[in-house]
Amino acid sequence: MAQRIDVKDLNIYYGSFLAVSDVSMSIEPRSVTALIGPSGCGKSTFLRSLNRMHEVIPGARVEGTVAMDGIDLYGPAVDPVAVRRQVGMVFQRPNPFPTMSIAENVLAGVRLNNKKISKSDAADLVERSLVGANLWKEVKDRLDRPGSSLSGGQQQRLCIARAIAVTPQVLLMDEPASALDPISTLAIEDLISELKASYTIVIVTHNMQQAARVSDRTGFFNIEGAGKPGRLVEIDDTATIFSTPRQQQTEDYISGRFG
Ligand code: ADP
């Protein structure tokens, strides 16, 4: 199971507005790639294009290719629902189904895919996913309590458990810790480092320290001005981006001169 992603000449539109221009990048399997840059430069838009969530917005479209292991996710024969199963997503605000139990929240994606599973398989999957999301120990005695009974940090790990329960190959995370307290943030960062053993991870973060802590590669996006498209300025090993970036804009951004 490889999960290499190759993005080539990608333009991303909202109707006639070109939001992200001409991105090419390669993402290695089982690595963490962080996307940083000032607000509005298209990081979330780009992230959502990696599992065709972007198209959910009316009028939204892309040009170019996003290939996973050589297969273009935007190819005519590709089912976007299947893509989203393969490429999971975790959002900024934890969004468990509030009235559903913790266990049913974990199973929600699997049930949505109309997969029939036996009670014992379901119980196994709940345990495996919660162990995988570093939440099992905290909730194993209250799996039938509502998802909303958990703290914010636990809810976010529940959402990660829900995402991994459908066995995706890639996990996209859009500022997954920005709504959390520092302790919960560290728990999510530790979890990302563990998940890297099994998944290819792409994370948008406005927190540069977080990018430096969790990622192997960092891509810096920027925008020339309002109404202009966002662009990928450079992508490199995280240590290089934060010490000796090639572009002056990157240097200015990471040293806090703007953004
Ligand atoms: P970032 O994640 O870097 O803050 P976004 O991807 O959210 O940037 O936004 C990039 C550009 O796309 C912005 O100009 C934003 O206003 C625009 N945009 C984002 N979402 C939508 C949408 N649903 N419809 C139209 N324009 C959008």
Side-chain angles (χ1 to χ4, degrees), residues 36-124:
I36 62 169
S39 177
C41 68
K43 305 177 297 294
S44 299
T45 298
F46 174 74
L47 192 75
R48 290 195 297 266
S49 76
L50 299 180
N51 76 343
R52 299 189 59 168
M53 283 280 286
H54 177 65
E55 288 160 75
V56 170
I57 298 159
R61 66 190 174 89
V62 309
E63 296 165 350
T65 55
V66 178
M68 225 168 102
D69 296 334
I71 296 170
D72 183 9
L73 298 183
Y74 287 92
V78 175
D79 172 10
V81 176
V83 170
R84 288 171 208 140
R85 201 147 53 218
Q86 233 178 345
V87 184
M89 182 127 190
V90 175
F91 299 88
Q92 183 169 7
R93 299 221 158 254
N95 57 352
F97 299 107
T99 56
M100 247 185 221
S101 72
I102 291 168
E104 281 303 319
N105 260 289
V106 175
L107 295 169
V110 181
R111 300 229 195 274
L112 212 63
N113 292 331
N114 283 327
K115 270 220 197 126
K116 290 232 168 9
I117 46 172
S118 70
K119 255 193 170 164
S120 69
D121 283 353
D124 281 351

Side-chain angles (χ1 to χ4, degrees), residues 150-254:
L150 300 175
S151 72
Q154 290 172 325
Q155 288 186 19
Q156 193 60 305
R157 281 178 284 143
L158 178 60
C159 293
I160 293 172
R162 180 175 66 192
I164 63 182
V166 295
T167 56
Q169 304 193 329
V170 179
L171 279 177
L172 308 178
M173 300 187 174
D174 195 351
E175 306 216 16
S178 65
L180 304 180
D181 62 86
I183 303 276
S184 303
T185 296
L186 285 180
I188 296 287
E189 291 181 6
D190 287 346
L191 177 56
I192 290 169
S193 302
E194 287 172 28
L195 291 171
K196 183 171 92 165
S198 312
Y199 306 95
T200 302
I201 297 172
V202 185
I203 174 175
V204 166
T205 178
H206 66 262
N207 178 331
M208 283 191 267
Q209 285 76 23
Q210 180 166 74
R213 282 192 295 262
V214 303
S215 71
D216 303 298
R217 306 259 301 165
T218 296
F220 170 61
F221 281 76
N222 201 3
I223 185 171
E224 278 169 29
K228 293 271 171 58
R231 289 175 183 281
L232 175 66
V233 173
E234 66 180 304
I235 180 165
D236 211 326
D237 291 342
T238 295
T240 305
I241 289 288
F242 286 105
S243 58
T244 49
R246 275 169 295 155
Q247 302 294 330
Q248 186 62 41
Q249 292 176 55
T250 313
E251 169 78 44
D252 290 347
Y253 183 75
I254 58 154

